[in-house]
Amino acid sequence: MSRLLKICFLLISMNHAEITHSQTSEDLPPLLHKAVEEVITGKYLNALLDILHFQSSNVWTADMLTKVMAYFHAQEVMFTLSSLQMSIKSYLKNLLYQPRQLLSEFQQLDQQQFQTAMKHLFNSRKDHLEMGNIILEWDKTRERIFQSPGVNRTLFLITLDKCFLALSALDCVDILSQVLRVSAVNYLQPDVIGSLPNVLQEDAFRNLSTVFKDLYDKISANTQRTLYGWMKQILQKSYNMSEFNESTSWVSAENLWILGRYMVHLPLEEILKISLNEIRLFISYDNATKQLDTVYDITPELAQAFLERINSSGFDMRNTSTIYRLGLLVCFYDDMEQMDAAVARALLHQMIKCNQLRGFQAEVQKLKSQLLNIAMQNQTLNDILGSLSDAVVGLTSSQLESLSPEAVHNAIATLNQVSGWAKSQVMVLSSKYLSYEKVLSFYNVSQMGALVTGISTQAFYSMNPKELSQIIRGTTSQYLPDLLPAQQQGILRKIAASGDFSSSVKDIQGAFFKEVSLSDLWKQTGYNSSMMKEKELRRSQALYLYELLSKKNYPVDLLSTGQLVKGVTCQLIESMGTDFFLNNLKFFEKNLHLLSPYQVNCLAWKFWKVSNGSIPPFLLLVLPTEYLEYVSGPLCVPFIESLGKTEMDLLNPSLHKKNAVLQKVQECLNGSIADEYDVDLLGNLICHLPPALLHGRMSLKAMATALHQFKLCQQLSHEQKTEIKYKLLELYGSPNNWTAETTLDVGPFIALLSKGELNVLAEKFPDIILQIAKTIGLISSAGELLSTVFESVSNATANIESSLTRPDCLGTRAPSSDAIIKLAEANVFWSVQELKCMDAGTFDKNVELLGTVSGFNSSQLIALKEKAKQVWGSLPDWKSYHIVSLGRIALALTEHEIEELDLHSVDTISVLSQQTEWTLTQARSILQGFLEDSGQTISTLKSFDLVGLGAILCALNSTEIMSIRTAEFSAAVARIGLLFCSTPVLRQFKKMTESVFGTATSWNGSVLQEIGTIAGGLNVDELKAFDKNLMPYFQPIAIRHIPPEIFQALSSEQIANLGPENAAMVTRSQRERLNASQLQSLQLALDGARTSTPETQTSASATQVVQTPAPGGAPCLSGFGIWLCAVFTLHLPF
């Protein structure tokens, strides 16, 4: 950087050099003369490009700089300091923060300047550009350019506009591929595709079509269709038109290969016209299979048309080799007549990839079921289990229960590769496999793949601890995060009890490490910073480990681990030296998603204190609202861009502050969203825009670009969605006229349409509506859509019961397997009577899916429970896997029915405790059932039992809680701290916590983080005794659980130090008990205000924010030198 400054000063000093003789333009080479004239007229971009081109074929000397300065004087061009600085500031702002202006400037470049720009932007491998002894840091400048979403759009548009005329087509294709990697979905809109050249040399066309094939999943359906049209147009031109007539197709084998995934846009009639020779040739290609493996969005009609042509072209469709070449077309295979078992098995083997299809899973399941029946002809399930591929997922738990342990053992190499198992199926298969193996060893477990999740907690706990340690280290460790918390706890407790925990801790990787208790961490030694790089940490673990490791490690080593940033306290941030803080801020910025809003607030205050002139704009969001006043004029664009790249919800601003931020954003945008450039700039902020802005101030052009971004928003309000709906209707017209592509692009927003409009779409595009409905989920936000889907599907697929069934079901429409799979959440619309009339086999096959429907009411759940009793027999006969498969249906069990169940297994309890709607009496029955059936008392429960009981623990009485063993409680306390129990129960848990961590008044931040909601059981005196600096370390869920009459005992100072996140969790009933002083403190905490450091600085600071010094703080002064200095070294605001 010092070398750069020398260059700046060298250039600047030339402004003041005495010119001893007159100089005219004749002394300057023509191109340099042109550049100097462009500087004088303020065309800095043109001048820079001319200079770069000049020096590519000329040696740059200091003498030339002297001539340049002499020419300025000869022309009597006198740049004053202020005017030149203003010009340069304005230029740089336009360059990077006004991409529309940049587009205009690019359009005015001559061909040579454009070529130079493209060369240095896209083909230059240089880190620096040299002009004699002047070195410019080009790599950083280029990086800043590519980080700006608007500038990237400009580069994309200017490439389409000028590149194919100025550069070789191959170079332009390469440039397009680089720019489109940034945001294909936003840039490649249908209207832009019209700018693509419609005549391209063959190599360039192939390369560009390859780029578009790679981007297929990242662009809208309408864009896919438009790009298909563009490719078709060029391919048709290159096709021998003399052979072209109505009965032949332009689609050759090679053209099919060039189309790639775009082949799914071929019309049905075009596919049926493809020459049989060309189809034969295409299927013979080695890469045809690879291509057909990726046509995820093909429809049954098109797939069957291709299958028909392949069949007609002479391929034997029953030949295994042919079947292997069909890719995803096998998912729609329909020639089942007189098929032998070997062919059925070959098809099933290929159908393992069908779960990648977009939709049509019910049809796939049906086909698999038919093939399964053929594959099993004259054989038992035991004989052929290993050759059924993932069709085994379609077997019911009862069918799996009938398998022999030997059959499961022999088929394990197939079973361990299958995905999509239900918990109950995994439980059955695991127990079968392990009953054959007799002893549970590392080798046996490593053979099981995903079936590991079916091993019981007790079986894990019974294993040799050394074998368990091998599991943690081995390939099976990838499945550990999928285990239930009780299973994870069983493994950890056994290893901890073995005395070998210290050596094992370093081998526990990923999310599994989060299950290690704080008290267990306390007991171990030998930690180092490198050990932490592959682990995920809870905040309590991070706080403890950061403090421990900081005694022997450099802070930079701790910060670079990533997860340990969760353990950086406000005091640590405050104590950092200015240079260290600024140099290592990157570790915090990179891991922003790991920081709490309180930590981000501390970072913002630290930054403001040490370098308010370069504070990242998103940090202004977490400072008090008045700091937003510093954002205006040139700071607007970087402010919005910075926020747009941040998830605002991570920073957790209060509603008041969020509204102030959005008001500032609107001011910066002049109250409207004019076009796609504004959408690029807004980024994630688009999810937070107020409905009024969407209603009247958003252009249709902006809406077309924003649609994809809106679909990614997690929490749009009903009002926002309503305005988006009206904009979409304005953009696309009446849904009666929508195409399939438009319907797909609108996606989840179809849920906002009227019933009549939905009916029209459901009739035209039933499969698309079904596909969209599956992604939407809960009924509350999509009732009309789900109801439309239900009517469409149930009318087409439900069974009308015949007279052979029970009399009360005669003429009743009963749910079929096909319908249940298609409907998902829309199953909620079956009447109680229809559910009662469901066929026993249909229930047995689909019980897991029905158990996931969140909208079933109590009457529907009771009907399904009674159906379970009818299918599985009396309650005492139910196996663990039956109970586990019920999901929400289990909520319909009465306390007396619960008493009849076999609840000896903590794994069964683990699954039951995941339901959050149990009544206290039901929970009490589950607890008693578990204790009686497992032969335990509260005092014998292990930590994994406590973790498995989960929310059921809220049904314990005070005597029972106090009889839990301290060592077991300490291992499970973090999990217990996630429960929402009543205050009396939390008070007892708090007493137990004191037996682990000492009296409440001695707790530190890591303990408060560890115990979660248990802190809601503190009494008045204990709460008042906490140091104000500990207040941010209460977990947010704990704040909600402090009773209002106790919460009001907090001092104003304690409340002011809650931190923004905790302050936002204060409930209305808690707030109502606070006095004026406490309420004022609460507002300070919500605003992120500082109570112990100097408040908002003087107005002089405001000018500091706007000013942005050159690197190292040295100012650029004046003249030609400042221009070059500024272009390459001026640190733009933020």
Side-chain angles (χ1 to χ4, degrees):
M1 192 56 74
S2 60
R3 191 171 183 187
L4 269 171
L5 291 177
K6 286 177 191 172
I7 295 162
C8 288
F9 284 121
L10 171 68
L11 290 171
I12 291 159
S13 66
M14 289 181 179
N15 287 355
H16 307 286
E18 285 191 23
I19 308 301
T20 55
H21 59 279
S22 174
Q23 207 113 28
T24 69
S25 62
E26 291 171 14
D27 294 322
L28 291 173
L31 193 57
L32 202 51
H33 172 243
K34 180 170 174 257
V36 172
E37 287 291 343
E38 285 162 339
V39 170
I40 292 170
T41 56
K43 293 182 176 179
Y44 298 125
L45 179 60
N46 304 60
L48 172 62
L49 294 169
D50 281 336
I51 290 171
L52 289 173
H53 181 57
F54 171 79
Q55 71 160 28
S56 65
S57 54
N58 294 274
V59 178
W60 187 272
T61 63
D63 176 52
M64 286 182 183
L65 282 174
T66 308
K67 290 178 181 179
V68 165
M69 299 316 302
Y71 183 72
F72 277 137
H73 282 259
Q75 298 301 310
E76 297 183 351
V77 175
M78 304 304 292
F79 288 121
T80 66
L81 173 63
S82 59
S83 68
L84 192 55
Q85 279 185 328
M86 287 301 292
S87 298
I88 290 163
K89 268 198 169 177
S90 172
Y91 168 72
L92 285 175
K93 183 181 71 172
N94 286 339
L95 188 68
L96 288 186
Y97 292 141
Q98 295 295 328
R100 298 175 188 85
Q101 179 64 30
L102 180 61
L103 178 62
S104 172
E105 289 200 23
F106 259 120
Q107 285 166 338
Q108 292 168 39
L109 297 179
D110 62 36
Q111 189 160 319
Q112 186 60 66
Q113 289 168 337
F114 180 80
Q115 288 173 353
T116 304
M118 294 295 108
K119 174 187 167 187
H120 283 88
L121 278 168
F122 294 102
N123 294 326
S124 171
R125 297 287 177 265
K126 293 180 179 177
D127 292 339
H128 300 83
L129 296 179
E130 297 182 15
M131 296 183 184
N133 64 342
I134 300 170
I135 298 174
L136 307 175
E137 290 195 19
W138 177 235
D139 56 335
K140 291 184 179 175
T141 305
R142 190 169 48 191
E143 188 181 332
R144 277 205 299 273
I145 288 169
F146 288 133
Q147 282 173 351
S148 164
V151 172
N152 270 296
R153 178 180 293 282
T154 286
L155 292 174
F156 171 66
L157 293 174
I158 203 66
T159 303
L160 285 183
D161 185 33
K162 295 181 74 115
C163 189
F164 289 94
L165 300 172
L167 299 177
S168 79
L170 283 171
D171 285 341
C172 295
V173 169
D174 184 49
I175 290 168
L176 279 176
S177 72
Q178 290 184 59
V179 178
L180 284 170
R181 281 188 211 123
V182 178
S183 183
V185 70
N186 281 345
Y187 302 163
L188 271 181
Q189 293 292 325
D191 59 327
V192 172
I193 292 162
S195 304
L196 289 171
N198 51 23
V199 177
L200 266 181
Q201 54 184 275
E202 189 178 346
D203 285 355
F205 172 67
R206 282 173 180 260
N207 289 2
L208 191 50
S209 61
T210 300
V211 170
F212 292 147
K213 282 188 278 191
D214 291 343
L215 295 172
Y216 190 89
D217 284 324
K218 296 178 180 174
I219 55 180
S220 70
N222 270 311
T223 300
Q224 290 168 357
R225 167 67 74 180
T226 312
L227 278 173
Y228 159 76
W230 173 79
M231 293 166 80
K232 170 189 167 184
Q233 179 191 11
I234 292 183
L235 290 171
Q236 278 183 329
K237 280 181 184 172
S238 62
Y239 190 74
N240 189 342
M241 296 310 285
S242 61
E243 299 173 18
F244 186 75
N245 59 53
E246 286 300 313
S247 60
T248 60
S249 172
W250 57 272
V251 184
S252 63
E254 190 174 20
N255 288 354
L256 268 177
W257 178 75
I258 291 171
L259 282 171
R261 291 182 60 183
Y262 292 88
M263 66 187 281
V264 302
H265 294 280
L266 285 163
L268 188 63
E269 56 274 17
E270 193 69 61
I271 295 169
L272 296 173
K273 283 182 357 189
I274 299 173
S275 148
L276 296 179
N277 283 337
E278 296 296 338
I279 277 286
R280 192 182 307 115
L281 190 58
F282 174 68
I283 295 297
S284 301
Y285 281 172
D286 286 341
N287 57 8
T289 307
K290 188 177 174 184
Q291 181 167 322
L292 291 172
D293 275 346
T294 62
V295 288
Y296 311 121
D297 51 345
I298 197 164
T299 62
E301 295 76 24
L302 294 185
Q304 278 155 10
F306 275 115
L307 287 170
E308 188 274 320
R309 292 313 275 166
I310 296 165
N311 186 28
S312 301
S313 71
F315 279 98
D316 178 3
M317 302 300 277
R318 301 285 172 93
N319 181 289
T320 305
S321 172
T322 305
I323 289 169
Y324 284 1
R325 287 182 170 276
L326 295 178
L328 291 174
L329 299 182
V330 295
C331 309
F332 305 98
Y333 196 98
D334 59 351
D335 180 17
M336 315 292 277
E337 274 186 44
Q338 299 180 323
M339 182 184 287
D340 65 35
V343 175
R345 287 198 291 275
L347 282 165
L348 285 172
H349 183 71
Q350 285 302 294
M351 288 185 75
I352 197 163
K353 58 186 77 156
C354 294
N355 60 1
Q356 297 174 75
L357 283 175
R358 309 266 160 82
F360 309 111
Q361 289 306 313
E363 289 81 354
V364 168
Q365 294 299 331
K366 195 173 181 179
L367 177 56
K368 282 183 180 177
S369 184
Q370 291 171 327
L371 291 169
L372 197 58
N373 291 334
I374 296 170
M376 287 173 60
Q377 282 170 0
N378 304 322
Q379 297 189 75
T380 66
L381 196 52
N382 281 326
D383 294 332
I384 62 160
L385 183 65
S387 61
L388 298 180
S389 190
D390 73 337
V392 287
V393 172
L395 298 170
T396 65
S397 297
S398 313
Q399 286 173 301
L400 295 175
E401 180 63 35
S402 70
L403 291 166
S404 70
E406 185 179 11
V408 175
H409 173 267
N410 293 339
I412 198 69
T414 300
L415 299 176
N416 66 13
Q417 293 177 46
V418 171
S419 60
W421 294 112
K423 179 70 178 170
S424 57
Q425 292 175 308
V426 172
M427 287 171 73
V428 174
L429 289 169
S430 294
S431 66
K432 292 278 179 190
Y433 175 72
L434 297 175
S435 67
Y436 180 88
E437 296 294 349
K438 303 291 189 285
V439 178
L440 190 57
S441 66
F442 164 67
Y443 174 77
N444 295 337
V445 171
S446 65
Q447 299 300 300
M448 294 176 72
L451 296 180
V452 162
T453 57
I455 300 174
S456 73
T457 300
Q458 194 58 53
F460 276 128
Y461 189 71
S462 304
M463 276 183 77
N464 178 312
K466 287 189 176 172
E467 303 258 4
L468 278 175
S469 294
Q470 282 182 284
I471 289 172
I472 286 171
R473 295 187 194 103
T475 54
T476 310
S477 63
Q478 66 183 296
Y479 301 107
L480 295 179
D482 300 327
L483 299 179
L484 290 168
Q487 292 170 302
Q488 295 177 332
Q489 187 64 217
I491 293 171
L492 290 173
R493 289 321 290 152
K494 187 57 177 271
I495 296 174
S498 71
D500 189 33
F501 199 43
S502 280
S503 62
S504 296
V505 160
K506 66 175 180 290
D507 295 316
I508 301 174
Q509 305 295 357
F512 188 34
F513 190 82
K514 293 169 92 167
E515 295 300 320
V516 179
S517 70
L518 184 61
S519 54
D520 275 335
L521 285 183
W522 283 2
K523 297 170 193 168
Q524 311 311 322
T525 55
Y527 300 114
N528 61 57
S529 60
S530 59
M531 200 187 285
M532 298 297 144
K533 286 188 175 168
E534 303 300 324
K535 304 183 193 315
E536 283 185 44
L537 306 177
R538 280 180 289 116
R539 206 164 294 283
S540 59
Q541 295 171 319
L543 284 162
Y544 167 67
L545 288 168
Y546 193 99
E547 185 182 5
L548 179 73
L549 291 169
S550 62
K551 294 167 185 170
K552 292 185 178 178
N553 292 266
Y554 292 112
V556 69
D557 293 331
L558 302 183
L559 294 175
S560 64
T561 63
Q563 289 277 326
L564 277 175
V565 298
K566 293 178 181 176
V568 179
T569 63
C570 224
Q571 288 82 350
L572 279 168
I573 292 170
E574 275 296 317
S575 64
M576 288 176 182
T578 298
D579 288 345
F580 177 84
F581 175 76
L582 293 174
N583 290 335
N584 292 287
L585 185 73
K586 58 179 183 277
F587 294 121
F588 293 109
E589 288 188 307
K590 192 167 79 173
N591 296 296
L592 195 63
H593 61 290
L594 300 178
L595 301 176
S596 69
Y598 177 64
Q599 285 176 300
V600 179
N601 180 250
C602 296
L603 283 174
W605 278 115
K606 176 70 174 181
F607 216 124
W608 184 261
K609 183 177 171 187
V610 302
S611 181
N612 61 12
S614 56
I615 184 169
F618 71 86
L619 290 180
L620 291 174
L621 175 66
V622 300
L623 294 176
T625 311
E626 56 267 27
Y627 284 76
L628 291 172
E629 292 168 16
Y630 299 134
V631 177
S632 62
L635 298 192
C636 261
V637 173
F639 174 70
I640 298 175
E641 187 179 306
S642 173
L643 283 182
K645 291 177 179 176
T646 310
E647 289 291 345
M648 202 193 302
D649 292 331
L650 284 177
L651 306 176
N652 201 43
S654 64
L655 186 61
H656 164 68
K657 191 186 292 183
K658 186 174 173 181
N659 289 338
V661 169
L662 293 173
Q663 185 58 44
K664 177 59 69 175
V665 168
Q666 288 180 71
E667 283 173 28
C668 284
L669 291 173
N670 296 321
S672 68
I673 305 165
D675 56 20
E676 62 271 48
Y677 279 109
D678 284 344
V679 175
D680 292 338
L681 182 63
L682 283 163
N684 295 325
L685 269 179
I686 207 144
C687 301
H688 303 280
L689 296 178
L693 185 63
L694 299 177
H695 172 70
R697 310 293 296 172
M698 186 176 199
S699 74
L700 291 183
K701 196 167 188 184
M703 184 64 207
T705 307
L707 176 56
H708 172 74
Q709 194 75 32
F710 278 130
K711 283 158 73 174
L712 299 177
C713 299
Q714 298 293 311
Q715 293 176 312
L716 290 172
S717 69
H718 177 70
E719 292 75 19
Q720 283 175 306
K721 288 177 182 175
T722 302
E723 294 303 340
I724 290 169
K725 177 186 84 167
Y726 288 129
K727 273 281 174 241
L728 289 171
L729 291 175
E730 207 181 329
L731 182 65
Y732 294 123
S734 164
N736 299 344
N737 304 321
W738 285 3
T739 61
E741 287 77 25
T742 296
T743 308
L744 271 170
D745 286 342
V746 172
F749 294 114
I750 65 168
L752 303 164
L753 299 174
S754 69
K755 192 74 164 70
E757 290 166 332
L758 284 168
N759 286 337
V760 170
L761 291 176
E763 200 172 320
K764 281 167 68 177
F765 314 117
D767 297 319
I768 291 173
I769 299 302
L770 205 57
Q771 188 182 324
I772 294 169
K774 282 225 173 190
T775 64
I776 286 184
L778 300 183
I779 189 167
S780 59
S781 60
E784 293 280 30
L785 172 61
L786 295 182
S787 135
T788 304
V789 165
F790 176 77
E791 288 161 16
S792 169
V793 170
S794 59
N795 291 338
T797 57
N799 305 319
I800 300 295
E801 296 295 344
S802 70
S803 56
L804 299 173
T805 57
R806 16 188 286 211
D808 60 335
C809 287
L810 190 58
T812 301
R813 176 182 62 175
S816 65
S817 274
D818 202 30
I820 290 169
I821 293 168
K822 284 182 175 178
L823 289 172
E825 189 64 29
N827 279 295
V828 75
F829 290 101
W830 295 111
S831 70
V832 170
Q833 184 61 25
E834 287 167 337
L835 292 172
K836 283 180 179 176
C837 294
M838 192 191 311
D839 171 72
T842 302
F843 175 83
D844 202 22
K845 194 168 186 175
N846 298 289
V847 59
E848 301 258 2
L849 203 159
L850 292 167
T852 64
V853 177
S854 61
F856 277 141
N857 61 33
S858 56
S859 304
Q860 290 168 308
L861 293 174
I862 289 167
L864 289 167
K865 175 195 71 176
E866 294 302 325
K867 179 61 66 176
K869 288 157 83 170
Q870 180 191 325
V871 176
W872 297 333
S874 63
L875 293 167
D877 296 333
W878 286 11
K879 300 279 198 298
S880 280
Y881 64 81
H882 286 131
I883 301 168
V884 162
S885 68
L886 286 171
R888 281 192 75 241
I889 301 169
L891 294 169
L893 293 162
T894 65
E895 46 268 38
H896 300 301
E897 288 172 327
I898 291 168
E899 287 167 14
E900 291 185 65
L901 296 172
D902 175 4
L903 296 178
H904 76 280
S905 163
V906 71
D907 303 290
T908 309
I909 302 300
S910 279
V911 176
L912 289 176
S913 70
Q914 289 175 345
Q915 299 301 330
T916 56
E917 302 162 77
W918 297 112
T919 64
L920 192 59
T921 50
Q922 284 176 310
R924 196 73 209 162
S925 292
I926 292 170
L927 176 66
Q928 291 302 335
F930 172 61
L931 293 173
E932 288 168 18
D933 294 343
S934 63
Q936 296 197 80
T937 62
I938 300 291
S939 61
T940 64
L941 293 178
K942 299 227 167 11
S943 62
F944 53 80
D945 295 318
L946 297 173
V947 170
L949 281 162
I952 307 298
L953 290 174
C954 293
L956 291 170
N957 61 40
S958 56
T959 309
E960 290 168 332
I961 290 172
M962 297 315 289
S963 63
I964 297 171
R965 281 183 291 176
T966 303
E968 305 304 326
F969 181 84
S970 71
V973 70
R975 281 277 166 192
I976 296 170
L978 298 173
L979 304 177
F980 297 168
C981 300
S982 66
T983 302
V985 171
L986 292 178
R987 282 181 181 146
Q988 293 304 315
F989 281 144
K990 189 267 302 180
K991 288 181 183 174
M992 281 297 302
T993 304
E994 289 186 304
S995 66
V996 178
F997 296 120
T999 57
T1001 50
S1002 69
W1003 294 347
N1004 61 18
S1006 59
V1007 172
L1008 281 172
Q1009 279 289 316
E1010 180 83 349
I1011 67 172
T1013 54
I1014 295 172
L1018 293 162
N1019 64 35
V1020 168
D1021 293 332
E1022 290 163 340
L1023 199 57
K1024 283 168 67 177
F1026 275 105
D1027 185 277
K1028 63 175 185 178
N1029 290 322
L1030 284 175
M1031 299 313 293
Y1033 296 101
F1034 280 83
Q1035 280 199 31
I1037 50 171
I1039 299 295
R1040 279 182 176 269
H1041 281 80
I1042 300 172
E1045 64 276 10
I1046 291 177
F1047 187 80
Q1048 70 177 353
L1050 287 169
S1051 70
S1052 295
E1053 201 174 15
Q1054 284 176 307
I1055 291 173
N1057 281 276
L1058 277 170
E1061 191 175 21
N1062 283 349
M1065 296 299 278
V1066 174
T1067 64
R1068 178 180 290 181
S1069 54
Q1070 287 171 330
R1071 190 186 285 261
E1072 285 169 353
R1073 296 279 192 127
L1074 302 181
N1075 61 35
S1077 171
Q1078 289 172 312
L1079 286 171
Q1080 188 179 6
S1081 292
L1082 182 62
Q1083 193 55 51
L1084 287 173
L1086 283 167
D1087 278 351
R1090 270 283 160 100
T1091 54
S1092 55
T1093 55
E1095 263 307 331
T1096 312
Q1097 302 186 15
T1098 61
S1099 58
S1101 303
T1103 55
Q1104 275 187 289
V1105 184
V1106 179
Q1107 287 176 348
T1108 47
C1116 286
L1117 298 176
S1118 64
F1120 181 66
I1122 183 179
W1123 168 56
L1124 283 174
C1125 181
V1127 169
F1128 293 99
T1129 68
L1130 184 70
H1131 276 197
L1132 295 172
F1134 313 137

